[in-house]
């Protein structure tokens, strides 16, 4: 590790990291593959092999204290709001097994027609408006609608829930914890889902919330607190990350006009548009762990009980694994090497298939409706978050394809 005056410094709360972390990631991979931030009290792993091993080795890199560095969101009680993201086996296996009874591949696959109709409805509104904010008018609305319909959240409540989830991830400069506004938002969300759960107990419906109440394995059921924690996780993880994935795809294609033209000329490029965005600029940039034993790496020792962050965003740009890693390229050979975007091993993201489905369908409908688009750089705003990377505003002027209409049945 470099000890010179210009040694690499990585601070996940710094706004300059939110703007562009990749030059620092490159230095970390080369100069400090095991990096120590003494001031903030964490280690960081940045190379692809080390990050995936950190995800895989749950016995030494524990999830028990949650996945964030925020002190208020970390510690032995993190599972109350992060659900099984903050659990190790056997608790993790029990919780994930029960939740999967309601969150089945069939339930996810059956969402495709509805996702398509939601996308077309918002595209129709975009056409009527002309110039739009891609976040406020499309990318921020579609994932919230999808996850809300799964859970049974009525349309009238969705905008407020999205506002609350945004407050949870936003950080002002110099703030290294969940701010008071975020704590208040978390409480409001928990109260909301507890009330919704009580309603489903009285009157079951055909949604994920009722399915979770009914989920059972050998007589074991989820408690009310466990269901509420999972619903809380869904509105943050299921909404925020997919919103960022859509906007990142939209932005980076615009920044690379030759690549942007490919899916608009040939929709067969859309699956790789999704995958290359997940690789090039993933929504979930890093996830924290806590060591359960001393771990020796690169002639250093991470003591048991220390926090370690696994830099998924850096792993996906590691030139040891991805050729020309800093190029946004929709013609990469398929399949791509293992991405770190959704984790790996036991904690591989349960919502990965839903995120990919939403992104693919949304981009298919956008390409069907528009022939190209432009973004106004002066209006772009980034999200400032320790874990999540993406945009808060992306002013867009799309160009409607001649003769395009939204199918009548989808309006």
């Amino acid at each position: 590790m470099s000890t010179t005056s210009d040694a690499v410094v990585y601070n996940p709360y710094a706004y300059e990291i939110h703007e562009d972390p990749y030059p620092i990631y490159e230095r970390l991979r080369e100069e400090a593959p095991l990096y120590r931030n003494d001031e903030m009290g964490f280690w960081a792993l940045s190379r692809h092999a080390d990050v995936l091993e950190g995800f895989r080795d749950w016995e030494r890199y524990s999830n028990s204290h949650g996945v964030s560095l925020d002190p208020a969101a970390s510690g032995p009680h993190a599972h109350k709001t992060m659900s099984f993201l903050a659990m190790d086996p056997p608790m993790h296996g029990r919780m994930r097994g029960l939740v999967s009874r309601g969150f089945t591949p069939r339930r996810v696959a059956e969402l495709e027609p509805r996702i398509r109709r939601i996308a077309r409805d918002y595209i129709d509104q975009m056409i009527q408006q002309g110039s739009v904010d891609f976040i406020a008018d499309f990318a921020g609305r579609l994932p919230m609608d999808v996850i809300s319909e799964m859970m049974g959240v009525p349309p009238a409540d969705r905008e407020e829930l999205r506002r609350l989830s945004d407050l949870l991830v936003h950080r002002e400069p110099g703030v290294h914890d969940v701010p008071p506004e975020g704590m208040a938002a978390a409480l409001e969300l928990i109260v909301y889902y507890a009330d919704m759960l009580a309603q489903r107990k009285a009157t079951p419906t055909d949604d994920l919330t009722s399915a979770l109440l009914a989920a059972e394995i050998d007589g074991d059921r989820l408690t009310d607190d466990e269901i509420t924690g999972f619903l809380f996780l869904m509105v943050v993880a299921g909404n925020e990350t997919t919103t960022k994935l859509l906007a990142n795809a939209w932005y980076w294609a615009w920044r690379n006009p030759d690549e942007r033209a490919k899916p608009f000329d040939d929709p067969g490029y859309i699956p790789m548009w999704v995958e290359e965005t997940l690789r090039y600029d993933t929504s979930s940039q890093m996830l924290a762990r806590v060591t359960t034993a001393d771990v020796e790496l690169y002639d250093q020792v991470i003591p048991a009980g220390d926090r370690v962050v696994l830099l998924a965003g850096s792993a996906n740009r590691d030139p040891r694994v991805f050729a020309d890693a800093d190029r946004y390229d929709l013609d990469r050979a398929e399949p791509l090497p293992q991405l770190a975007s959704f984790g790996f091993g036991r904690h591989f993201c349960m919502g990965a298939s839903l995120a990919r489905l939403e992104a693919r369908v949304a981009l298919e409908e956008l390409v069907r409706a528009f022939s190209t688009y432009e973004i106004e750089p002066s209006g772009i705003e980034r999200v400032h978050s320790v874990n999540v990377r993406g945009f808060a505003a992306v002013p867009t002027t799309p160009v409607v394809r001649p003769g395009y209409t939204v199918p009548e049945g989808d309006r």
Side-chain angles (χ1 to χ4, degrees):
M1 180 174 171
S2 174
T3 57
T4 63
S5 59
D6 63 345
V8 59
V9 176
Y10 169 64
N11 174 2
Y13 292 92
Y15 271 28
E16 53 267 32
I17 289 291
H18 304 164
E19 291 296 330
D20 185 5
Y22 296 103
I24 292 295
Y25 289 166
E26 181 180 8
R27 290 192 63 191
L28 288 172
R29 290 191 302 267
E30 300 310 314
E31 300 171 30
L34 175 60
Y35 170 79
R36 173 65 180 174
N37 186 311
D38 287 320
E39 181 182 352
M40 301 180 68
F42 71 86
W43 302 81
L45 292 171
S46 51
R47 291 181 179 175
H48 184 273
D50 297 329
V51 170
L52 259 61
E53 178 62 16
F55 284 135
R56 187 197 66 78
D57 187 358
W58 60 267
E59 291 179 298
R60 292 194 302 167
Y61 297 94
S62 168
N63 278 60
S64 61
H65 286 216
V67 298
S68 175
L69 285 177
D70 290 337
S74 304
H77 302 294
H79 65 275
K80 292 182 178 179
T81 52
M82 289 189 182
S83 189
F84 54 74
L85 273 188
M87 296 178 185
D88 292 326
M91 287 178 60
H92 173 267
R94 170 192 170 271
M95 181 71 184
R96 186 164 178 138
L98 283 165
V99 165
S100 68
R101 295 297 173 100
F103 200 83
T104 61
R106 178 188 61 81
R107 187 180 286 272
V108 171
E110 288 176 350
L111 288 170
E112 179 166 346
R114 182 58 186 145
I115 296 170
R116 207 170 289 281
R117 287 193 292 272
I118 293 169
R120 288 173 178 173
D121 182 54
Y122 287 134
I123 286 168
D124 193 22
Q125 295 177 37
M126 290 171 69
I127 291 171
Q128 294 176 38
Q129 290 175 242
S131 293
V132 300
D133 176 0
F134 188 73
I135 305 296
D137 297 310
F138 187 82
R141 301 173 75 179
L142 184 144
M144 179 56 83
D145 276 356
V146 172
I147 214 74
S148 294
E149 290 197 6
M150 284 187 75
M151 294 189 298
V153 174
D157 296 346
R158 294 172 189 173
E159 187 62 32
E160 176 61 9
L161 294 190
R162 186 166 84 86
R163 185 187 72 82
L164 293 172
S165 69
D166 286 343
L167 287 173
L168 287 172
V169 301
H170 178 72
R171 297 293 178 271
E172 292 294 330
V175 175
H176 296 173
D177 201 352
V178 182
E181 298 84 0
M183 297 292 284
L187 181 59
E188 285 190 58
L189 285 168
I190 290 170
V191 169
Y192 181 90
Y193 289 125
D195 288 346
M196 191 169 78
L197 200 58
Q199 294 169 21
R200 293 303 182 279
K201 282 185 170 182
T203 311
T205 55
D206 184 24
D207 56 33
L208 178 61
T209 305
S210 293
L212 293 172
L213 280 166
E216 178 184 337
I217 298 178
D218 297 331
D220 187 19
R221 292 177 177 269
L222 294 165
T223 67
D224 288 2
D225 285 347
E226 287 172 334
I227 297 174
T228 301
F230 178 69
L231 297 176
F232 181 93
L233 173 66
M234 288 279 284
V235 77
V236 178
N239 167 49
E240 289 289 343
T241 54
T242 309
T243 291
K244 274 55 178 180
L245 167 58
L246 284 169
N248 287 345
W250 198 247
Y251 173 79
W252 287 113
W254 171 74
R255 283 284 302 271
N256 296 271
D258 290 345
E259 303 308 301
R260 172 179 46 173
K262 293 173 183 176
F264 282 87
D265 292 339
D266 178 2
Y269 275 100
I270 288 173
M272 181 51 79
W273 192 4
V274 175
E275 295 304 305
E276 178 66 347
T277 302
L278 286 168
R279 184 199 71 82
Y280 188 80
D281 198 16
T282 189
S283 306
S284 297
Q285 287 282 302
M286 68 89 158
L287 294 164
R289 298 291 192 264
V290 61
T291 52
T292 60
D294 290 357
V295 178
E296 186 173 348
L297 279 173
Y298 300 104
D299 298 323
Q300 298 183 81
V301 175
I302 309 172
D306 272 16
R307 295 290 272 171
V308 180
V309 296
L310 306 176
L311 297 176
S314 174
N316 287 340
R317 294 272 196 110
D318 191 339
R320 295 164 186 80
V321 177
F322 301 96
D324 202 5
D326 288 327
R327 171 173 164 75
Y328 190 67
D329 182 6
L330 303 194
D331 274 309
R332 290 186 179 275
E334 297 184 76
L336 293 178
Q338 177 67 50
L339 298 178
S341 309
F342 293 113
F344 187 66
R346 288 176 181 265
H347 285 279
F348 184 79
C349 177
M350 181 180 285
S353 59
L354 177 58
R356 285 182 162 118
L357 174 65
E358 286 184 64
R360 174 179 62 80
V361 170
L363 293 173
E364 284 173 356
E365 292 304 319
L366 287 163
V367 162
R368 201 167 73 84
F370 305 120
S371 59
T372 189
Y373 60 95
E374 292 298 334
I375 291 174
E376 174 48 55
S378 64
I380 293 173
E381 296 177 19
R382 278 209 169 271
V383 166
H384 294 290
S385 164
V386 64
N387 288 79
V388 179
R389 175 168 162 81
F391 296 94
V394 181
T396 295
T397 303
V399 179
V400 182
R401 287 192 187 274
Y404 171 80
T405 58
V406 177
E408 245 349 279
D410 289 336
R411 297 189 179 186

